Amino acid sequence: MANVRGILRLGAMRLAQTAAKPLMASTRAGNSFAEAGGRMHRSELYCRIETPKGSFVAQRRPVERWMPSPADCCYFPDTLDSAGRPLEAMVCASQPGAPGTRVSVKPVALLRVHARDSWDEVVLCVALDDPRREAIDRACDLPLQLRKDIERFLNARRSPSHAAPLVAWCSRDEALTAIDAAAARWAATVNGHG
């Protein structure tokens, strides 16, 4: 019984340490994207988990349908997409993360999803601390079934008037450009220029 209490205490301490970390990773130029001129240092990319892998997420369709998420659904803090929301990410990891957890990531692709009347951008990433995913540098390095599951999951968000799948797979470089643009949008908003 004492061993179980010790494990629970250790887990609570780790959770408190994670919650105590600032939302923004430190950069050489300062403590936020705004101070770094909107550019992100590649070694400091991280996301916050909203919906863990395997959780059921409501998809908007004519008939509401629930789908399990094939990866952790996350967002990049201190970024804004073209619609003014935090930039979305899907993080591929062996095990699901906990909501609110900060996870260091490596972007591997950008997915453009036609949703309603616009294109949403979702950055596909792998968790840096996952040894099974460390050799993955591009989307084509991911297992084919995982790529199909991600595409099916994202297609469920699309406009019901479109019959064809509308997920465009873009390169890692485009993902990094999208992250930088979203960070610059956030920095301009914070500095009063947006």
Side-chain angles (χ1 to χ4, degrees):
M1 188 65 155
N3 192 20
V4 172
R5 284 188 190 134
I7 291 171
L8 291 174
R9 194 173 306 125
L10 179 63
M13 286 179 7
R14 285 190 180 155
L15 183 61
Q17 288 171 347
T18 301
K21 288 182 181 176
L23 283 177
M24 180 47 53
S26 170
T27 65
R28 290 184 190 133
N31 291 326
S32 72
F33 296 150
E35 294 170 4
R39 299 277 308 167
M40 297 176 65
H41 294 276
R42 303 299 181 231
S43 62
E44 300 170 352
L45 291 176
Y46 69 94
C47 295
R48 289 276 179 200
I49 297 174
E50 285 186 305
T51 307
K53 168 183 166 179
S55 298
F56 285 86
V57 179
Q59 299 291 333
R60 290 186 178 95
R61 287 182 123 309
V63 176
E64 190 172 288
R65 184 171 109 179
W66 292 81
M67 297 184 69
S69 173
D72 290 334
C73 295
C74 305
Y75 66 94
F76 286 97
D78 301 340
T79 61
L80 292 175
D81 66 10
S82 58
R85 299 178 305 248
L87 183 62
E88 290 182 70
M90 291 191 80
V91 177
C92 301
S94 299
Q95 299 295 321
T101 303
R102 173 183 159 160
V103 57
S104 296
V105 297
K106 174 173 58 172
V108 295
L110 177 68
L111 304 171
R112 290 197 171 102
V113 184
H114 192 275
R116 299 167 207 95
D117 294 331
S118 64
W119 289 89
D120 290 341
E121 293 182 331
V122 179
V123 180
L124 184 61
C125 303
V126 293
L128 283 178
D129 63 352
D130 187 347
R132 292 184 179 175
R133 306 278 191 222
E134 67 186 357
I136 295 172
D137 292 316
R138 301 173 300 163
C140 62
D141 297 335
L142 289 167
L144 177 61
Q145 187 60 49
L146 178 59
R147 293 192 317 252
K148 286 181 178 180
D149 290 345
I150 289 169
E151 190 164 335
R152 186 173 55 245
F153 179 79
L154 292 175
N155 271 325
R157 296 176 9 166
R158 66 178 164 67
S159 173
S161 62
H162 296 284
L166 291 171
V167 173
W169 291 78
C170 304
S171 70
R172 179 179 192 271
D173 290 336
E174 290 181 71
L176 294 171
T177 301
I179 294 168
D180 285 338
R185 257 186 239 102
W186 182 85
T189 303
V190 168
N191 293 330
H193 300 105

